[in-house]
Each structure stands twice: as structure tokens, then as C-alpha cells.
Amino acid sequence: EAAVTQSPRNKVAVTGGKVTLSCNQTNNHNNMYWYRQDTGHGLRLIHYSYGAGSTEKGDIPDGYKASRPSQENFSLILELATPSQTSVYFCASGGGGSYEQYFGPGTRLTVL
Amino acid sequence: GEQVEQRPPHLSVREGDSAIIICTYTDSATAYFSWYKQEAGAGLQLLMSVLSNVDRKEEQGLTVLLNKKDKRLSLNLTAAHPGDSAVYFCAVSLMPNYNVLYFGSGTKLTVEP
């Protein structure tokens, strides 16, 4: 069974609209992460969380908010989506005494 | 911040040959090193990871070498097969915040029969 799931898998949004990407993990990991992947770049960290109620800024947090309402769920929120946020977004979980991170299948977001 | 360079961006080998991917990093506080595989349309799959006290690790046809003096990390796929065709990424993190992974830009490996 997939331990990190993301929804939706594909999303088309309009410029200026609000977008929420959701992530759920069944690994019982404390830490969760949001990355974006663009052509020519590896993954870049947007926000991460150490546990329910916590969010931390990663390398590229501008234009994004995050929410961690529970151990299992971590959301990425684009309040005012822009075309530059068109990308593939990956969620990951990690922790439990290990530095390893385990990734979800990704969400392809297109902002028109 | 940390800068990770990965090469080559594209690599094509024949089945049974070795494939070597190299990453270099800049920060001497880099302490955790990992390699991921991404198949088309999928998420990233962790292949192997090492801490800075390990110079070499082998598992199931994969060898990770770490040269801390040169700040270089490599992944060697011995006897590659078509199922190894994918994009490979290195990812590193620094002390004390191991949570923040810095990724290389990826290597697209094609293994031809």
C-alpha cells in the first residue's frame, strides 16, 4: 500500500485563484515536506513540518503557505496562484530516527 | 547555501555496462548523502543513503562512494539493465538540520538492450 498519497494528481487553476494541494501519510512519521520539481532543477524544498501544528520555511517559501492539522496530513496552499507556480509538486514524509524521506507520486499543477 | 552539481545530465549505456553518476557539493558541513530514482511519471524512490562517516556502501548492484576531501559523491550501477532506465538524483543535507535536502539536477539514464 502506498504510504504517501497526494491529491489531486492533476490540477488546472486560474491566475489569482486559490489552490490547495493535500498530502496524507501512513508511515507515522513526524516530519513532512513539500517540494516542487521544475525542468533543469532537482527538487526544491518549499515548506516542511516537524509535527501537527508546526510549519517551517524551506528554500523557496514565497507565494506558498503550509498547514499541518494532524500527524497524517500536510497541505500546501497557494492563496493567489501565478503561472510561475506551474510545476510538479511532491510531498514526502520522514523521521522515526532516520534521515530518509519517502515521496508521494506528485501533483502536476498548471496555472493558466 | 549548499550548491549541488550533478553530472552528466544524460547518460546512455548498453545492457551489462556500468553507469556512473557524480555529484559535487560545496559545504563542508554536509553530512547526509542519498540517491533517488525517479521513473517516468512517478515519485522518487530512495535507493541508498550514507552518513559522512561512510566512504563506501554497496547494495544490490549499486555502489555509493563518498570522497569528503573532494566533496564528491558518486553512484555506480554495475551491470545495468533496461529496468534501470530512469532519472537519478543525488540529495544531501547539512548538520544540524538534516531535514533540508538539497538536490542535484538529475541524470537521465537510458540502458539500451
Side-chain angles (χ1 to χ4, degrees):
Chain A
E1 288 186 36
V4 181
T5 56
Q6 296 181 229
S7 63
R9 294 294 312 279
N10 291 280
K11 171 75 176 178
V12 178
V14 296
T15 298
K18 182 176 180 178
V19 177
T20 300
L21 306 182
S22 299
C23 178
N24 177 276
Q25 57 106 354
T26 58
N27 294 322
N28 198 30
H29 285 153
N30 287 332
N31 304 332
M32 295 185 74
Y33 311 84
W34 277 107
Y35 294 86
R36 64 178 283 174
Q37 182 180 33
D38 303 292
T39 303
H41 293 274
L43 278 69
R44 291 180 290 172
L45 182 63
I46 305 170
H47 285 288
Y48 61 104
S49 167
Y50 291 117
S54 101
T55 59
E56 306 288 336
K57 293 180 179 180
D59 264 3
I60 53 165
D62 293 346
Y64 302 93
K65 290 171 58 178
S67 173
R68 181 87 182 272
S70 66
Q71 176 85 341
E72 297 79 19
N73 295 293
F74 190 36
S75 297
L76 185 68
I77 303 153
L78 292 66
E79 296 277 5
L80 294 169
T82 68
S84 65
Q85 294 174 313
T86 293
S87 188
V88 180
Y89 292 85
F90 287 96
C91 175
S93 73
S98 163
Y99 304 125
E100 297 172 350
Q101 296 185 18
Y102 296 89
F103 285 78
T107 294
R108 182 173 296 277
L109 173 65
T110 302
V111 183
L112 301 176
Chain B
E2 175 73 285
Q3 301 287 329
V4 180
E5 299 288 335
Q6 184 173 341
R7 65 179 192 274
H10 300 277
L11 180 60
S12 182
V13 301
R14 290 199 176 274
E15 186 172 7
D17 288 349
S18 293
I20 299 175
I21 304 169
I22 294 172
C23 285
T24 57
Y25 58 96
T26 56
D27 199 312
S28 57
T30 305
Y32 172 74
F33 308 85
S34 55
W35 285 97
Y36 287 85
K37 175 183 181 181
Q38 184 180 34
E39 295 178 340
L44 278 73
Q45 173 193 353
L46 178 67
L47 293 175
M48 271 208 287
S49 63
V50 298
L51 294 174
S52 58
N53 60 345
V54 173
D55 293 333
R56 180 187 183 99
K57 184 175 181 180
E58 295 184 45
E59 277 182 7
Q60 298 179 330
L62 302 173
T63 302
V64 170
L65 295 176
L66 177 60
N67 182 325
K68 293 183 287 292
K69 174 177 174 290
D70 295 338
K71 296 188 176 69
R72 186 174 68 239
L73 173 73
S74 66
L75 175 70
N76 186 347
L77 291 80
T78 54
H81 56 85
D84 292 327
S85 296
V87 180
Y88 291 80
F89 293 94
C90 63
V92 306
S93 61
L94 285 67
M95 294 186 292
N97 191 354
Y98 290 90
N99 281 294
V100 182
L101 279 178
Y102 297 89
F103 281 80
S105 54
T107 296
K108 184 174 183 179
L109 173 66
T110 303
V111 182
E112 299 170 351

